[in-house]
Amino acid sequence: MAEEKKQEVEEELDEVESKETESTEKEAEDIDIPEVSEVEELTNKFNEMEDKFLRARAEIANMSNRNKNEREQLVRYRSKDLGKKLLPAIDNLERALATEVTDDQGASLKKGVEMVLESLTVALKEEGITEIKAEGETFDPNLHQAVQTVPAEDKVKPETIVNVLQKGYQLHDRVLRPAMVIVAQ
């Protein structure tokens, strides 16, 4: 009898184990394990989205840098238009200083014009507008405009500026107005 019970218990255990393995197999069948191709497809989509993200981030960084550079250029060259408008006034003041004065009243007027010219020149220098050196320099078509040529003398080398007809000015590294010059040939 003890053996019969033992055998019955063993049979019941076998039944329970077989039921458990059947249910585990059914559960495994119910779970959809993605195929390798689906994983590859998702990996490719992820890589593609990551690439788009990185490109967009780089484009934003480039736009930001361009914007920053443009702002710096605007600040650096903000005086360009004002400088161009003031240059004729400076030319006129220099012509006024070139006139001969014979009386005291004319001398004091000339002194006033000289002071105005000096203050304008200082203001332009503060903004980065400087005169282009010309007389005695080698002709540079980027900075000078040759109006006339003259034969070179013994003391003067060819392509040297011998006379300045109108001063040239530049704002930092940009030419506002080239110097009008006479060049030795």
Side-chain angles (χ1 to χ4, degrees):
M1 200 152 154
E3 279 196 35
E4 283 178 21
K5 281 196 176 200
K6 187 178 179 184
Q7 195 171 5
E8 281 179 28
V9 168
E10 285 179 6
E11 285 176 10
E12 282 180 27
L13 279 175
D14 286 340
E15 280 181 43
V16 168
E17 284 179 7
S18 68
K19 285 182 182 177
E20 284 180 3
T21 54
E22 283 177 20
S23 68
T24 307
E25 288 175 2
K26 284 182 181 178
E27 287 176 8
E29 288 175 6
D30 290 344
I31 298 174
D32 287 334
I33 299 175
E35 294 181 22
V36 175
S37 64
E38 191 175 336
V39 171
E40 287 176 0
E41 182 180 326
L42 290 174
T43 304
N44 289 340
K45 282 184 179 179
F46 172 76
N47 290 338
E48 184 179 317
M49 294 300 280
E50 184 180 32
D51 183 55
K52 286 181 180 178
F53 169 74
L54 292 174
R55 288 179 188 271
R57 193 159 84 182
E59 183 63 29
I60 289 170
N62 288 342
M63 286 181 355
S64 175
N65 288 339
R66 267 193 309 269
N67 217 356
K68 180 183 171 192
N69 289 339
E70 286 175 5
R71 280 193 311 267
E72 288 173 359
Q73 293 291 323
L74 284 173
V75 168
R76 183 176 172 103
Y77 298 110
R78 72 179 185 272
S79 304
K80 180 181 176 184
D81 292 333
L82 179 62
K84 281 185 175 182
K85 290 176 183 174
L86 287 178
L87 293 181
I90 290 173
D91 292 339
N92 290 335
L93 290 173
E94 287 174 347
R95 283 188 208 101
L97 287 176
T99 60
E100 292 286 327
V101 178
T102 56
D103 60 347
D104 288 340
Q105 190 177 13
S108 64
L109 182 63
K110 189 172 182 177
K111 181 68 175 166
V113 170
E114 197 173 285
M115 290 169 52
V116 170
L117 179 62
E118 181 63 29
S119 64
L120 274 174
T121 305
V122 168
L124 290 178
K125 282 184 183 176
E126 287 176 358
E127 291 297 316
I129 298 173
T130 57
E131 183 182 329
I132 297 173
K133 293 182 178 158
E135 194 155 347
E137 300 285 323
T138 304
F139 177 74
D140 181 357
N142 297 317
L143 302 174
H144 309 115
Q145 180 179 354
V147 177
Q148 183 179 355
T149 57
V150 294
E153 297 176 4
D154 296 332
K155 298 177 186 177
V156 180
K157 294 180 189 176
E159 296 296 316
T160 302
I161 298 170
V162 293
N163 194 3
V164 178
L165 301 176
Q166 184 181 42
K167 291 181 179 179
Y169 292 89
Q170 62 185 13
L171 174 60
H172 301 293
D173 56 346
R174 291 187 183 172
V175 175
L176 291 179
R177 179 177 78 186
M180 294 175 68
V181 296
I182 298 174
V183 182
Q185 285 284 319

